[in-house]
Amino acid sequence: MKTFLLLKQCKHQLIRHFSEAMSKQRIAVCQMTSVADKAANLECVSQLISNAAKEDVKMVFFPEACDYICDNNQDTLKFAEPIVGGSTVDSYRQLAVKHNVWLSMGGLHEQIKEDPNRIFNTHIIINNTGDIVQQYRKRLHFDKQIPERNVRLKEIDLCSPGRHIVAPVDSPVGKIGMAICYDMRCPELSTALTVLRAQLLTFPSAFTQATSKAHWHNILRARAIENQCYVIAAAQVGTHNTKRRSYGHALCVDPWGRVLADCGEETGYRVAELDLAQLDDVRRNMPVFSHRRNAVHSLYALSLRTESLEPAGAGAPVPPPKPPGPSRQFGHLQIPDTCVFYTSDLTYAFVNIRCVTPGHVLVAPWRCAERNEDLTDEEARDFYATIRLVQKLMEKVHNTESCTMTIQDGPDAGQTVKHIHCHIMPRKKGDFIQNDLIYLELTKHDQFQSSHPAKPPRSFQEMEAEAASLRESLLTLDTNSGFRNLNLP
């Protein structure tokens, strides 16, 4: 019996030690001085990866502009490359495979094929098999001009802003929330990524000297503490050219705000150990996010992208043209404001271009959440409350007592627009020979294809007229049965 208990104790100890080992992973945060020589910069990146990989790290983090830094806009544009198929990124992918590590390459100058006079500032993550698993285009651009001091630092002169935040990336070191440099001054972005279950926040940077001395450590520690995440900020350092100098001090900060690694003011890297079990302890012992008042601290205005950007290949479907006038984002499509008949704080309802039954309308969240599970609790409550209200409206307008309501949650369920939405279809007795044939009709229904033999698309004029009529009907709808106040567009 004693032997059995000892064996059982050893087993539990082994399981605990194994779990602790699995929760800890080593990363390297790098610091370099990029110049207007892409080959020299690539050699520096290669050497840093080679050296860091020997220290058993799972992932290596590089700063903004690790590809190059020029002293004029003409060269900056000339040196830019596409992410997919560009020789610089191809070299990074080969290095990831060669050294069996994941790479965070922050703030590359991405060529925009459609506009040769502009670029994206793009952060990419490459896995250890050389795949680009995600791309994030910088949303917030540094914009500073002091004429009396001959200071002009305006990223917007060259860079087009990204349109989305991206869902956290699963990696061997945890779920990574992607950002770039100046994005750290937008705390809502970091909080949104944490709400989406990020465990690490990354800010590859090229911070200027004056602002860094005052704010660099403070901002990064604040983002770590308030979001209870690891923060990793690879950095540029030293003199790049006669016009530009960077602060350095690439950091790794833990969820309690402690600095685990600081590269100082020299090129090189530091290794830090991330402990996701410790992160869980911090969140459990101080459950800040369970205390959030979501009705007050809403993040619905941030647009989320979950999939990696992919270039359109030969034969790819051409997206429909953007409608004239103001519109709202619906997946990869645009819904004209004139076709929207109801909005709440987080949700909107709009008429359909091709109806399975008369009065077939759709309800979607403002934010481009793809799946039901992607909705925050606040969004889910608002989404389903709006569905109830719109059902009540459509039954009144079409003089029915029934509706079919369906959500096609995922591609295998028939979802063709990657933005969760509910079809609301008023029903009357005998409208289908067999009641469930409506689902067969819905599977054939693709509201944004150019043609359908049974259901041709309606004109915008017809849709606008229906939306206007529904807005009028909403004003007389009895909302005393638990429905919120109306908010007409």
Side-chain angles (χ1 to χ4, degrees), residues 225-241:
I225 293 167
E226 67 197 8
N227 294 292
Q228 301 175 317
C229 284
Y230 283 96
V231 165
I232 302 172
Q236 292 285 345
V237 66
T239 302
H240 309 284
N241 52 55

Side-chain angles (χ1 to χ4, degrees), residues 9 35 59 79 86 120 143 162 257 276 286 292 302 314 321 327 347 356 391 400 429 449 477:
Q9 184 179 7
V35 293
M59 190 161 185
F79 291 168
F120 288 119
D143 188 348
L276 299 184
M286 188 177 288
R292 286 175 57 84
L302 292 168
S327 62
T347 312
V356 171
Q391 177 190 4
T400 71
K429 186 175 181 179
Q449 292 297 327
L477 182 66

Side-chain angles (χ1 to χ4, degrees), residues 73-140:
N73 290 349
Q74 292 76 17
D75 286 344
T76 299
L77 288 170
K78 182 176 69 174
F79 291 168
E81 301 176 16
I83 295 298
V84 177
S87 61
T88 300
V89 173
D90 284 349
S91 296
Y92 296 156
R93 297 172 70 180
Q94 293 167 19
L95 288 168
V97 175
K98 178 180 178 180
H99 297 287
N100 192 32
V101 292
W102 282 54
L103 299 176
S104 165
M105 312 304 297
L108 305 179
H109 300 81
E110 180 186 358
Q111 184 183 83
I112 302 177
K113 184 178 180 181
E114 298 79 10
D115 188 350
N117 295 316
R118 301 192 66 78
I119 57 174
F120 288 119
N121 188 343
T122 304
H123 178 183
I124 67 172
I125 290 180
I126 303 170
N127 66 18
N128 62 329
T129 60
D131 300 314
I132 301 170
V133 297
Q134 190 53 278
Q135 304 169 51
Y136 164 75
R137 290 167 174 165
K138 189 175 182 180
R139 296 174 68 248
L140 193 64

Side-chain angles (χ1 to χ4, degrees), residues 203-416:
F203 297 100
S205 298
F207 243 61
T208 60
Q209 284 276 337
T211 53
S212 290
K213 288 179 180 178
H215 299 153
W216 175 256
H217 286 78
N218 294 334
I219 292 176
L220 292 171
R221 292 185 65 210
R223 295 296 86 86
I225 293 167
E226 67 197 8
N227 294 292
Q228 301 175 317
C229 284
Y230 283 96
V231 165
I232 302 172
Q236 292 285 345
V237 66
T239 302
H240 309 284
N241 52 55
T242 57
K243 298 180 180 179
R244 187 164 176 179
R245 180 176 174 82
S246 295
Y247 178 67
H249 290 278
L251 295 181
C252 177
V253 185
D254 79 1
W256 198 247
R258 293 174 292 231
V259 175
L260 303 182
D262 186 333
C263 291
E265 298 182 11
E266 298 178 354
T267 58
Y269 67 93
R270 295 288 185 275
V271 173
E273 185 174 79
L274 311 187
D275 186 348
L276 299 184
Q278 180 202 8
L279 179 147
D280 291 339
D281 285 343
V282 170
R283 292 180 174 181
R284 181 168 51 251
N285 294 331
M286 188 177 288
V288 173
F289 279 81
S290 67
H291 300 155
R292 286 175 57 84
R293 296 176 60 196
N294 290 326
V296 177
H297 304 131
S298 174
L299 298 167
Y300 73 91
L302 292 168
S303 179
L304 175 70
R305 174 168 54 77
T306 58
E307 294 188 349
S308 178
L309 294 167
E310 291 292 343
V318 177
K322 182 176 179 178
S327 62
R328 298 159 196 254
Q329 195 70 33
F330 179 51
H332 60 288
L333 304 161
Q334 300 285 333
I335 303 301
D337 277 5
T338 52
C339 294
V340 174
F341 61 87
Y342 174 78
T343 66
S344 69
D345 290 339
L346 304 177
T347 312
Y348 66 105
F350 54 100
V351 299
N352 205 348
I353 196 170
R354 187 177 289 109
C355 300
V356 171
T357 67
H360 178 180
V361 296
L362 295 100
V363 174
W366 281 87
R367 184 170 65 86
C368 290
E370 181 177 347
R371 301 288 305 279
N372 190 38
E373 66 179 4
D374 297 327
L375 294 173
T376 65
D377 291 343
E378 182 186 12
E379 287 173 323
R381 285 191 293 268
D382 195 87
F383 180 54
Y384 288 101
T386 299
I387 290 171
R388 292 178 62 205
L389 186 147
V390 172
Q391 177 190 4
K392 184 181 181 76
L393 171 69
M394 301 315 294
E395 289 183 359
K396 174 191 173 185
V397 169
H398 290 274
N399 193 27
T400 71
E401 298 180 347
S402 302
C403 271
T404 291
M405 296 180 294
T406 183
I407 297 172
Q408 296 161 298
D409 194 21
D412 294 336
Q415 183 182 21
T416 57

